Amino acid sequence: MTDMNSIRRTVVPITDEEAADSVSAESFKSAFRLHPSGVAVVTADPGDGPVAMTVSSLSSVSTEPPLLVFSLSVTSSSSPAFERAESVVVHMVGTDQLWLARLGATSGIDRFADASTWTRLPTGEPVFPAAYAWLRGNIVQRIEAGNSILCVVHVIETSGSSAGQEIGGPNANPLVYHARAWHYLGDHSKI
């Protein structure tokens, strides 16, 4: 496990003058609605129960070492738990797991009420085995950026790594979020 004292915390400063020059939040969100994003569900358990949230801000940033990043909105009810968590599991979801994406995106519910849909890894993190792929890692840095926190994760295990198998497979149609709606990629969308 990562030593909590070793997790670096960085703040991205924006001066009041720079903030005054910003576009409106609505204009910014409107532009990004036109930009499709992959969908993932992130889970953790900081010691007081499992949490999950759906993200479309997932990105790989390095292969050596394997690092990924996702962002948390400070207004999300799950953010405080992710702030305390040392490790997370990032679930890649496809059309067959739309239910999981919706589960992580719905506020005010017990996302772990149906015990038949999830389990725990030997290391303790909650995992939804239905995801076509998952990655487990330790949060190594948190970066405060406006009303979000970027979490940098060092990936130490994938759903296929212990068995040496291919992850996903040919029938994994990735779920995409675009213009406030769920979409999927498949043979029909190749150009």
Side-chain angles (χ1 to χ4, degrees):
M1 287 282 174
T2 303
D3 177 4
M4 287 301 287
N5 295 325
S6 69
I7 296 175
R8 294 181 293 163
R9 182 126 184 150
T10 306
V11 177
V12 177
I14 302 291
T15 66
D16 290 341
E17 185 177 301
E18 290 169 327
D21 289 337
S22 298
V23 299
S24 72
E26 191 52 44
S27 292
F28 186 73
K29 290 189 288 187
S30 180
F32 267 88
R33 282 186 195 113
L34 302 176
H35 182 72
S37 302
V39 178
V41 174
V42 184
T43 60
D45 188 342
D48 52 358
V51 293
M53 63 185 246
T54 298
V55 300
S56 59
S57 59
L58 181 68
S59 182
S60 64
V61 293
S62 172
T63 57
E64 293 183 26
L67 299 174
L68 64 82
V69 65
F70 67 92
S71 68
L72 303 169
S73 168
V74 296
T75 62
S76 168
S77 61
S78 298
S79 284
F82 281 101
E83 282 273 353
R84 295 187 314 277
E86 291 183 36
S87 60
V88 295
V89 176
V90 177
H91 302 75
M92 309 297 198
V93 294
T95 55
D96 291 342
Q97 298 86 38
L98 177 58
W99 65 270
L100 181 53
R102 286 183 172 147
L103 182 74
T106 304
S107 298
I109 62 167
D110 179 356
R111 295 177 177 116
F112 296 90
D114 185 351
S116 70
T117 63
W118 70 282
T119 187
R120 288 190 185 270
L121 294 173
T123 49
E125 297 89 352
V127 64
F128 289 95
Y132 72 79
W134 55 259
L135 303 95
R136 181 177 70 87
N138 294 324
I139 298 174
V140 294
Q141 187 173 14
R142 290 183 175 91
I143 303 166
E144 292 181 34
N147 63 354
S148 293
I149 298 166
L150 299 176
C151 294
V152 180
V153 177
H154 174 217
V155 178
I156 54 178
E157 181 182 6
T158 64
S159 51
S161 62
S162 61
Q165 62 196 71
E166 174 101 8
I167 296 173
N171 297 324
N173 292 319
L175 193 60
V176 176
Y177 197 70
H178 176 256
R180 297 182 179 176
W182 306 102
H183 300 267
Y184 72 96
L185 299 178
D187 287 337
H188 74 284
S189 59
K190 288 182 184 176
I191 56 172

